[in-house]
Amino acid sequence: MRPQRHATPPPAEARLARIALDGEALTRLSPTLLADRAQAVADLQAENVFAPAGQPDGPYALRLSIHEGRLVFDIRRLDDTPLVAIVLALGPFRSLIKDYQMLVDSHILAAEQGREERIQAIDMGRRGLHNEGAELTMARLREKVAIDFATARRLFTLICVLHQRI
């Protein structure tokens, strides 16, 4: 079941203007994960819906990190003034993150072998996995942050990429 989209459009300032993954320099990422991260950040910066409950109007800056095995959404004003930190257990995401990594590894192998049909099948699987991850992200943030499905998909990508660092 896909979460409902907003009944009324959110205000234009209900968005992320800046996104950072804390701890980015800790390990090296594969070219595929680097590309996924860059695309997700670029897509989020171009268009997103992000409205933390009970907070003043945005736009917002988000520092996404994993701290002591928990996912942290550190939401700030653009001047870096802290607004709210949302801490979520990673447990519900772990099997999807593991599947995501398996698909990335399979995609790399299929590309190296030049197996176009296999690459297309893997890409279909990744789309489905991103949809499932978006639904989970929306569910875990429900009543904390209003986001749309496209924003949730991109945040899920960043969660997966960030998880590769630990």
Side-chain angles (χ1 to χ4, degrees):
M1 178 169 115
R2 182 171 285 178
Q4 296 294 315
R5 296 182 186 261
H6 294 285
T8 58
E13 57 276 343
R15 65 181 181 82
L16 291 170
R18 195 170 60 235
I19 302 103
L21 300 182
D22 278 356
E24 288 185 270
L26 295 179
T27 62
R28 292 189 157 198
L29 296 174
S30 71
T32 302
L33 287 175
L34 285 171
D36 284 355
R37 179 188 67 191
Q39 187 65 56
V41 169
D43 289 348
L44 278 169
Q45 289 176 331
E47 182 180 357
N48 68 76
V49 173
F50 191 91
Q55 296 302 319
D57 290 341
Y60 306 97
L62 173 65
R63 291 182 185 173
L64 191 60
S65 65
I66 295 176
H67 183 70
E68 296 182 1
R70 298 198 183 283
L71 182 60
V72 179
F73 288 77
D74 180 2
I75 304 165
R76 298 170 175 256
R77 292 181 186 267
L78 291 182
D79 68 2
D80 215 32
T81 303
L83 291 174
V84 65
I86 298 168
V87 180
L88 303 175
L90 266 173
F93 291 96
R94 286 199 195 277
S95 72
L96 291 175
I97 291 169
K98 183 179 176 183
D99 291 348
Y100 178 87
Q101 184 58 51
M102 183 183 67
L103 286 173
V104 167
D105 293 344
S106 296
H107 189 277
I108 292 168
L109 182 60
E112 288 172 353
Q113 296 172 344
R115 299 178 59 196
E116 187 60 36
E117 286 181 15
R118 180 78 177 129
I119 291 170
Q120 290 175 5
I122 292 167
D123 285 343
M124 286 179 59
R126 281 175 64 170
R127 280 190 292 278
L129 184 66
H130 272 94
N131 288 345
E132 192 175 341
E135 290 171 6
L136 177 60
T137 301
M138 290 180 81
R140 301 289 291 144
L141 290 174
R142 186 170 291 122
E143 298 181 20
K144 297 173 184 82
V145 180
I147 57 176
D148 66 349
F149 193 72
T151 300
R153 280 178 60 92
R154 294 163 183 148
L155 287 173
F156 175 71
T157 298
L158 295 179
I159 291 166
C160 289
V161 170
L162 184 64
H163 191 268
Q164 301 311 307
R165 300 179 192 297
I166 62 173

